[in-house]
Amino acid sequence: MQEYICVHCGANNPSVYKQFSDEIIKLTKCDNCNNLVGEYVETEYSIIIIDMLLLRKEALRHVLLIQI
C-alpha cells in the first residue's frame, strides 16, 4: 500500500482522495494537521509552477513527493 505525504506538514497519509462514485471524488484531510493532503491535485500546472518559483513548500512537496 502506497503512503502519501501531506504537502503542509509532511506526515504520511494513506490516500490523497476518496472516490465515492464515478462522478464524486473528495480530497482527504491530513490526520496530523487537518489540512488537505494534496491540495495541488486540482490546481493547474501554471499555478503550481508559479508557487514553486515563489518557493512555497507545499508546491515543492507536491511535485517531489506526490505522483498522481
Side-chain angles (χ1 to χ4, degrees):
M1 184 171 170
Q2 185 174 3
E3 293 264 329
Y4 295 95
I5 306 294
C6 175
V7 295
H8 294 284
C9 68
N12 290 335
N13 287 279
S15 67
V16 176
Y17 62 89
K18 292 182 183 177
Q19 187 168 2
F20 294 101
S21 68
D22 291 338
E23 300 174 356
I24 300 173
I25 295 175
K26 185 175 179 181
L27 296 176
T28 57
K29 291 191 175 189
C30 177
D31 297 331
N32 190 30
C33 67
N34 208 26
N35 289 317
L36 294 176
V37 173
E39 67 183 31
Y40 284 101
V41 170
E42 43 184 28
T43 305
E44 295 182 23
Y45 293 124
S46 58
I47 302 297
I48 296 171
I49 291 171
I50 290 170
D51 283 351
M52 286 177 57
L53 292 173
L54 293 172
L55 298 176
R56 291 201 57 202
K57 290 186 295 187
E58 295 86 1
L60 295 171
R61 282 185 183 147
H62 173 76
V63 171
L64 294 175
L65 301 175
I66 296 180
Q67 300 170 6
I68 295 179

